[in-house]
Amino acid sequence: MLVIGRTARARLTATLLAATLFLPPAVYAQEQPAFRNGLSLVDEPKYPPAFEHYDYVNPDAPKGGELKLSQTGTFDTFNPILDKGEAAAGLPLVFDTLMKSADDEISTAYGLLAEGVSYPDDISSATFRLRQEAKWADGKPVTPEDVIFSFDKVKELNPLYASYYKHVTSAEKTGERDVTFRFDQKNNRELPHILGQFLILPKHWWEGQGPDGKPRDITRTTLEPVMGSGPYRIATFSAGATLRYELRDDYWGKTLNVNVGQNNFGAISYTLFGDRDVEFESFRSGNTDYWTENQASRWATGYDFPAVKDGRVKRESLPNPLRATGIMQAMVPNTRRAPFNDERVREALNYAFDFEEMNRTVFYNQYTRIDSYFWNTELASSGLPEGAELAILNEVKDKVPPEIFTTPYANPVGGSPQTSRDNLRKAIALMKEAGYELKGNRMVEAKSGKPFSFEILLSSATLERVALPYAQSLKKIGIEARIRTVDASQYTNRTRAFDYDMTWIVWGQTLSPGNEQLDFWSSKAAKEQGSRNYVGIADPGIDALIEKVIFAKDRQTLVAATKALDRVLLAHHYVVPLYYKKDATIAYWDKFGRPAELPKYAIGFPDIWWSKAATAK
């Protein structure tokens, strides 16, 4: 299942993820496929067809008040699907999807625009039945033609979705309110579920004329406020600077069970900043209501201002959103370029990263080193392979590194002058094996004498506090690493085109990985600009293991196959793993109400929170 975040990779990220659909035996036993109100990727859905609302919401939450948010970056388009430009923050507020996730279950969703979904025993297709009451903001009904138009365009215009839905070959109208998606694979159990995730767009609006009398063009960026079927509309904006959404009184789905107790703010506004520190000052001054902290030093020392001391600003560390999320945050060398295509060079780069020293001096010991692409979940590999995982690896034994059977993966450990020197000596030895040598104070290619130097591309100056010490460590072994920080638009364009030597990437994973692994690590994605295979991985063993993840027949096999994939990714030393926290750290002005107990797997902000001002009113 895809994780959606601020950028195309983190919006589609905070942060784009897939999973394996579990189908209860009772479903297989049916001769005719039956429509069901929910799909689960791990277990049977918790909520029955006639449920009133999710357990974690306040069904009596008041509506109204304004929520003031901020974001680093800019925006230049309201087109929600195009892989061009910088899409505006909050755009999903305007649109509905076929299904809506439940935050107290792992990878489970229930009908939103669709009242139900059915599929045959061999999962060769999936049919969604639209709700008769579903309407666009202009009052016109949501139709199968809208769903087909949206699906065809998102595959055509966005490489990420083209990869995600590569095995969905067509969408066709099969009833007055029915849309059937055909698959070119059978028994790919996640396909029905992930089809519930893409935004549904109004075909008649996009094929109509804009205010200027000219036909709209979905293949281009636009700053015309778009229309959707969702709970909010774009009210006002200043391109690249501010944006305000307002709650629609005529929203068709406001009493729907999956929406009860949600969408409570009367207005949600965004202010855009070019600098993260300036953005924080906006929060401190009260111009922004909510803040997600990602800087350890600021969390430790930056909250001594009066509003925190007198309780007007609250701070919390919450494990909820990371309970079902695996994280790989890393420095990522581009293996499409030499010498990063040499595994020994990549391993040497990891030996030069002294996490323990950085954690002590920069991070106030708040972080943990990442040692898995599925870190902090049951899917992370450890020790030596055994049981079902070992059996899977033996099936591809001729395509994977032999050391995975004998040597557990471990990051280098520093933190002291002696361990740091030892690690740098190992790095030098690996570089020598790769054909490099130290001449004076410079690491050069032995044959040509060309110095080893490269650029680290960053999207924010905040990341320099890690990149600069890393560059200093590399300098000790004669490697020159230049830091280049660019604005959001340039960073997006360069990463889409794989135009970098090394960059900083965060991949998010659910507990049910699936089709998105193709976009992350497959040989095909390595050649597709706009994919999330930022490393450039093109390896037959990894391709084979991705298929085993996607077609895992049950949960036990999925876990084993994912651990095997994780183990092989680590063994190739594709990235320099960084760090993460096991809790989300947030701060907010004391203006909100929220349910007494948050959902197990999410903070629920802003969906299920509400304004105290609305309560008072």
Side-chain angles (χ1 to χ4, degrees), residues 13 229 325 523 554 592:
T13 164
S229 65
T325 304
S523 299
D554 52 39
F592 308 119

Side-chain angles (χ1 to χ4, degrees), residues 29-174:
Q30 297 171 349
E31 293 184 4
Q32 299 295 329
F35 281 94
R36 48 196 288 150
N37 74 311
L39 294 174
S40 177
L41 304 176
V42 176
D43 208 341
E44 295 189 52
K46 168 184 174 180
Y47 295 97
F51 75 97
E52 296 182 358
H53 55 77
Y54 290 141
D55 290 345
Y56 52 83
V57 306
N58 172 11
D60 300 316
K63 307 287 186 181
E66 180 172 357
L67 170 63
K68 296 179 294 184
L69 300 176
S70 65
Q71 184 171 290
T72 306
T74 185
F75 71 91
D76 58 14
T77 183
F78 292 132
N79 188 324
I81 67 169
L82 196 62
D83 187 37
K84 295 179 183 177
E86 289 290 326
L91 266 182
L93 294 169
V94 177
F95 300 95
D96 282 328
T97 51
L98 293 172
M99 311 285 283
K100 184 170 182 174
S101 296
D103 290 337
D104 58 348
E105 300 178 82
I106 298 173
S107 301
T108 301
Y110 297 86
L112 180 53
L113 283 173
E115 65 180 31
V117 57
S118 69
Y119 37 79
D121 290 352
D122 64 0
I123 322 177
S124 57
S125 65
T127 299
F128 290 82
R129 176 161 292 168
L130 297 175
R131 295 184 188 273
Q132 191 165 8
E133 65 270 30
K135 298 288 191 298
W136 298 107
D138 63 3
K140 294 184 178 180
V142 179
T143 66
E145 287 80 4
D146 294 316
V147 178
I148 295 166
F149 170 81
S150 304
F151 178 76
D152 288 344
K153 292 302 180 183
V154 80
K155 280 194 70 175
E156 174 190 344
L157 301 175
N158 195 307
L160 190 156
Y161 282 111
S163 173
Y164 197 48
Y165 296 120
K166 65 178 292 185
H167 294 299
V168 185
T169 57
S170 66
E172 58 188 81
K173 183 176 180 178
T174 52

